[in-house]
Amino acid sequence: MTAVSMHAPLTVADIEKHLATRRFGRRLELFEELDSTNTTARELAVAGADEGTTIITESQRRGRGRLGRSWASPAHRNLYLSLVLRPSCSPAVLPQLTLVLGLAAAEAVREWTADVKIKWPNDLLIAGRKLAGILTESVADDAGVQFVIPGIGVNLNSEPDDFPPDVRSLATSLRMVTGHVVDRPGFAGRLLNHCEARYDEWQRDGFHALAPAWETYSCLTGRAIVVQSQERGHRERIAGTAMGLADDGTLRVRAANGAEHHIVAGDVSVVDGYDRSLT
Ligand code: BT5
């Protein structure tokens, strides 16, 4: 096996070698540093970039998560990627796209380690620590969805000291888990392959076709959880048992009084023993 250098810069040619896609990554723009790949992808989308246009950067000054949180983006270690997508769907089903790409990302990680889990809606975990996150931003108007920018951050070669202290105790990387340096162009190419395949399936067959595959990665089903739901601009706290996904990608939660809630968007915490138990 050839040794893979952790610090070798990404190149477009190295990533393209691994691509088996028709659209995703076929226009690929690579940067040394950006504020956020989502911001740059959005600018390209506004300027008319085709579906599948991909932005990757070596580091982010203002990598972001949901609800104004930040995404730690140390240089030359990991993958920070955003896509321009133009799905034909109603804005109401867009939360499904985070799940579709989460499944694709889990399938890519599976090529390196079998232990990966998905924590609804947008986290990939290994042994209860966060390996990757997805941030899906969109622009829609009366005419429907104009474009969607999903951003995917995956910790590939980071070591604990790369993360700020508050993230260090929560995060992991593929290298920390497997003990091997990950070939970043290979991971990027395979991630794009899985993303295009699952995205096309979603557009063709709908989310219900992917739900069983997604469920095999879920670490919440059957657990006591508390959800801070974020629907229609207001936050609501719901406690109950996670019952798995509905066919539309909403999370089914059964409350103590027997009522079943379907959560479209929100943050989940696990009641017994927190995320470290999610293996
Ligand atoms: C997310 O938000 O998990 C979405 C992260 C998306 C990042 C990608 S990178 C490429 C693209 N460009 C961007 O600017 N963003 C996307 P959320 O569920 O809100 O989780 C954020 C929380 O994860 C933070 O508050 C930290 O606790 C934790 N965190 C931050 N950086 C992390 C890291 N590198 N690894 C693991 N956990 C991290």
Side-chain angles (χ1 to χ4, degrees):
M1 199 163 86
T2 355
V4 181
S5 164
M6 176 159 58
H7 304 297
L10 290 165
T11 69
V12 171
D14 285 344
I15 296 171
E16 279 175 344
K17 272 189 239 157
H18 300 274
L19 282 182
T21 55
R22 282 183 300 117
R23 293 153 11 262
F24 286 28
R26 292 301 173 183
R27 175 180 174 190
L28 178 57
E29 302 212 358
L30 192 55
F31 296 84
E32 179 60 26
E33 188 177 56
L34 291 175
D35 278 346
S36 159
T37 52
N38 269 38
T39 304
T40 302
R42 184 191 174 108
E43 288 162 5
L44 290 179
V46 168
D50 287 335
E51 174 159 279
T53 298
T54 300
I55 304 297
I56 295 178
T57 189
E58 289 282 15
S59 69
Q60 300 186 111
R61 287 179 291 260
R62 292 185 187 80
R64 57 182 184 259
R66 297 173 303 154
L67 302 170
R69 298 178 196 131
S70 59
W71 186 255
S73 309
H76 303 119
R77 299 283 205 270
N78 300 323
L79 183 64
Y80 315 110
L81 173 153
S82 296
L83 283 158
V84 175
L85 298 181
R86 301 184 181 280
S88 47
C89 68
S90 84
V93 303
L94 279 181
Q96 295 174 357
L97 188 51
T98 298
L99 307 178
V100 171
L101 297 178
L103 171 61
E107 289 172 332
V109 171
R110 245 280 159 76
E111 297 190 32
W112 275 261
T113 176
D115 296 332
V116 61
K117 295 284 181 193
I118 307 177
K119 182 177 165 220
W120 185 94
N122 70 321
D123 290 351
L124 297 195
L125 304 181
I126 295 183
R129 285 172 177 261
K130 188 154 167 173
L131 178 82
I134 297 173
L135 170 70
T136 306
E137 298 174 323
S138 58
V139 171
D141 56 23
D142 291 345
V145 176
Q146 279 187 28
F147 60 81
V148 186
I149 308 295
I152 307 177
V154 190
N155 300 324
L156 296 179
N157 289 324
S158 267
E159 297 174 86
D161 285 352
D162 295 333
F163 297 117
D166 56 321
V167 172
R168 199 171 297 154
S169 57
L170 309 170
T172 192
S173 72
L174 260 183
R175 177 172 181 233
M176 285 159 63
V177 171
T178 63
H180 299 291
V181 174
V182 175
D183 173 43
R184 294 188 302 144
F187 187 91
R190 290 198 171 83
L191 175 66
L192 287 164
N193 295 342
H194 285 285
C195 285
E196 185 176 280
R198 288 303 192 179
Y199 174 78
D200 285 350
E201 194 181 352
W202 174 61
Q203 286 280 275
R204 193 179 59 237
D205 302 330
F207 186 76
H208 67 96
L210 287 74
W214 192 96
E215 194 66 52
T216 64
Y217 287 96
S218 175
C219 60
L220 291 180
T221 307
R223 295 204 175 239
I225 61 170
V226 175
V227 189
Q228 295 285 343
S229 88
Q230 296 148 18
E231 274 148 64
R232 293 178 290 278
H234 72 277
R235 286 175 73 82
E236 188 186 352
R237 182 181 181 279
I238 295 163
T241 304
M243 306 300 291
L245 280 192
D247 269 358
D248 62 357
T250 54
L251 180 68
R252 296 165 50 221
V253 181
R254 178 160 305 149
N257 66 5
E260 189 168 298
H261 300 266
H262 284 210
I263 318 289
V264 177
D267 276 312
V268 175
S269 43
V270 175
V271 174
D272 59 343
Y274 193 49
D275 286 357
R276 215 51 56 76
S277 64
L278 296 177
T279 52

